[in-house]
Amino acid sequence: MLPARLHPRRLLSAAPLRLPAPRGAAVGGEPARSPGTTRAEQAHRVVASYKPSKFDKKILVWTGRFKTEEDIPPRIPPEMLDKARNKARVKACYIMIGLSIVACFAVIASAKKAAARHESLTSWNLAKKAKWRKEAALAAEAKTK
């Protein structure tokens, strides 16, 4: 037979275990807030926070994290800004790739037009060198006179 203190009915009837409230928690289960803070500011509150600059705010709006600059809280987690910067970096790379492709097609089109006019780099270089030879010959004649 089990001792009275280890009897199963006694263990089940014991009061439930209560854990202490987490740090910073107010009475009633709602997180503690400093006076004057809004729920939006409280939602983004972390131990290590970062105050975004104007450029950072533009990046956060451009990457779609916030709708307007007024929606951005005064302090944000650094991880949020890192993710936004990475997203902006990728977007900028895609834009540069697109512009490079457009530039390639522009060069191809202009080269085809130059070929239709029978222009080439070789003919330009030959004409330039002939002009230099002619100028050098005129300069040599001017020196001998």
Side-chain angles (χ1 to χ4, degrees):
M1 186 129 207
L2 291 171
R5 62 185 171 91
L6 296 177
H7 199 273
R9 276 188 230 143
R10 180 172 165 86
L11 291 175
L12 291 176
S13 65
L17 180 66
R18 288 190 180 182
L19 297 174
R23 281 189 183 176
V27 180
E30 189 168 320
R33 287 190 284 169
S34 359
T37 60
T38 63
R39 287 197 181 272
E41 291 172 353
Q42 183 66 27
H44 293 290
R45 183 176 299 258
V46 291
V47 176
S49 60
Y50 176 77
K51 184 178 179 189
S53 66
K54 289 182 180 181
F55 184 70
D56 294 335
K57 289 181 180 183
K58 289 181 191 290
I59 288 176
L60 287 165
V61 171
W62 188 52
T63 56
R65 184 67 179 102
F66 295 97
K67 296 290 181 191
T68 62
E69 287 189 23
E70 290 79 31
D71 294 343
I72 301 172
R75 296 206 166 267
I76 59 170
E79 294 84 17
M80 180 188 296
L81 188 59
D82 288 341
K83 287 180 183 178
R85 283 179 179 166
N86 288 338
K87 210 175 207 184
R89 214 173 277 124
V90 169
K91 278 186 173 184
C93 287
Y94 283 151
I95 289 170
M96 287 189 286
I97 289 170
L99 290 175
S100 297
I101 290 170
V102 168
C104 288
F105 283 116
V107 168
I108 290 170
S110 69
K112 285 186 177 184
K113 287 179 182 177
R117 292 188 306 258
H118 301 293
E119 294 177 354
S120 67
L121 290 176
T122 307
S123 63
W124 282 359
N125 283 339
L126 290 174
K128 185 170 49 171
K129 287 180 182 178
K131 180 182 171 188
W132 288 348
R133 282 190 200 109
K134 188 176 179 182
E135 289 174 357
L138 289 175
E141 284 180 21
K143 281 186 181 180
T144 56
K145 287 187 181 179

